[in-house]
Structure formats: C-alpha cells, structure tokens
C-alpha cells in the first residue's frame, strides 16, 4: 500500500539540522550517525538524504546514484569504524511486520561483539 513521506519524522529533522545527531560520516547522498539507543557496542544508522520511507520506497523511486551512494556509505562507515575485519551486521526494517519505528529509510550497522546468528524465529 502506498504511503506518503512524513517530512516531520525524526530523521528528516536530523537531516535539516533541527535536532542534533552524533555524526559518523556524511556524503552527497547519505548521512551516518550513532543510534540513540545502541543495541551493540557499535550501532550506527545510515540514511539516504532523500525523502524515502523505507527500502521498498527507495528501491522503487531512488536514482541509481542515490542507491549506490547509500550502499557505498554503509561500507565506508564499516571500514572507518574498523568493523570490516571482525565483521558486522546490517539490517533495515521495512514496514509494520518488521516493526519499523521511524518512517525514513535507515540501515542499521551493528558491530563490536559477536552478534549471534540472524534473527529469532518469533
Ligand atoms: P527502526 O525500528 O528500524 O525504525 O529503528 C529506529 C531506530 O532509530 C531505533 O534503533 C532508535 O533507537 C533510533 N532512533 C530514534 N530516534 C533517534 C535519534 N534522535 N537519534 C538516533 N537514533 C534514533
């Protein structure tokens, strides 16, 4: 079901500089910052600068440059934080079944400990 982008969501406000974030990295197409409630020693969120609700919206409407820019930024952040050696996990919740809380696409990057195997079986 098509939803419209809420330009007052918290990550849109971070992108506009209305509220602060602990910035890790910024590129033409992406911003990365520390999650406010970290679930691992390293927990960074990487978001596109454009108004995309979730992975579905982004992969349907984002330009090739935006899509490449976001994924390159994820790899850059992992290398900047030294997570590429030991390993890391990326995750993006899309919609209700995944319990997405903030309606602006974000890729979680977790690292800094053994992250266990995948997700629970519910
Ligand atoms: P999700 O459930 O995938 O939508 O995850 C939303 C994430 O955003 C959660 O991990 C929150 O801790 C995080 N979050 C919410 N508000 C902020 C904020 N102002 N700065 C950084 N992270 C935030």
């Amino acid at each position: 079901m098509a939803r419209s982008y809420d330009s007052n969501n918290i990550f849109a406000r971070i992108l506009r500089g209305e509220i602060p974030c602990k910035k890790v990295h910024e590129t033409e197409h992406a911003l990365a910052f520390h999650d406010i409630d970290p679930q691992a020693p390293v927990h960074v969120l990487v978001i596109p600068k454009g108004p995309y609700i979730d992975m579905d919206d982004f992969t349907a409407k984002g330009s090739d440059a935006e899509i490449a820019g976001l994924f390159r930024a994820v790899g850059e952040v992992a290398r900047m934080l030294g997570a590429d050696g030991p390993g890391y996990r990326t995750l993006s919740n899309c919609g209700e079944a995944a319990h997405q809380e903030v309606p602006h696409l974000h890729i979680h990057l977790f690292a800094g400990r053994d992250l266990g195997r995948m997700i629970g079986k519910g």
Side-chain angles (χ1 to χ4, degrees):
M1 189 178 74
R3 294 181 290 155
S4 56
Y5 182 79
D6 169 14
S7 57
N8 279 322
N9 77 74
I10 196 117
F11 295 167
R13 297 184 63 204
I14 285 175
L15 282 167
R16 289 197 296 269
E18 292 169 8
I19 57 170
C21 70
K22 282 173 66 183
K23 184 158 90 175
V24 175
H25 188 42
E26 183 169 8
T27 68
E28 181 184 357
H29 293 297
L31 177 69
F33 51 92
H34 290 282
D35 195 290
I36 206 167
D37 181 21
Q39 307 295 310
V42 173
H43 183 175
V44 170
L45 302 171
V46 189
I47 70 174
K49 288 189 169 173
Y52 300 104
I53 301 169
D54 56 23
M55 189 64 82
D56 181 61
D57 191 31
F58 188 57
T59 53
K61 299 184 195 147
S63 68
D64 289 355
E66 288 174 306
I67 292 171
L70 180 68
F71 282 90
R72 283 206 190 282
V74 171
E76 285 162 9
V77 167
R79 289 188 289 276
M80 282 170 64
L81 298 175
D84 53 321
Y88 59 92
R89 176 170 295 149
T90 56
L91 178 151
S92 185
N93 293 315
C94 178
E96 253 179 72
H99 294 243
Q100 180 181 0
E101 285 173 11
V102 180
H104 182 111
L105 172 63
H106 45 287
I107 296 178
H108 297 257
L109 190 158
F110 304 101
R113 64 167 165 81
D114 186 305
L115 296 162
R117 290 172 64 83
M118 297 294 287
I119 58 173
K121 292 186 178 172

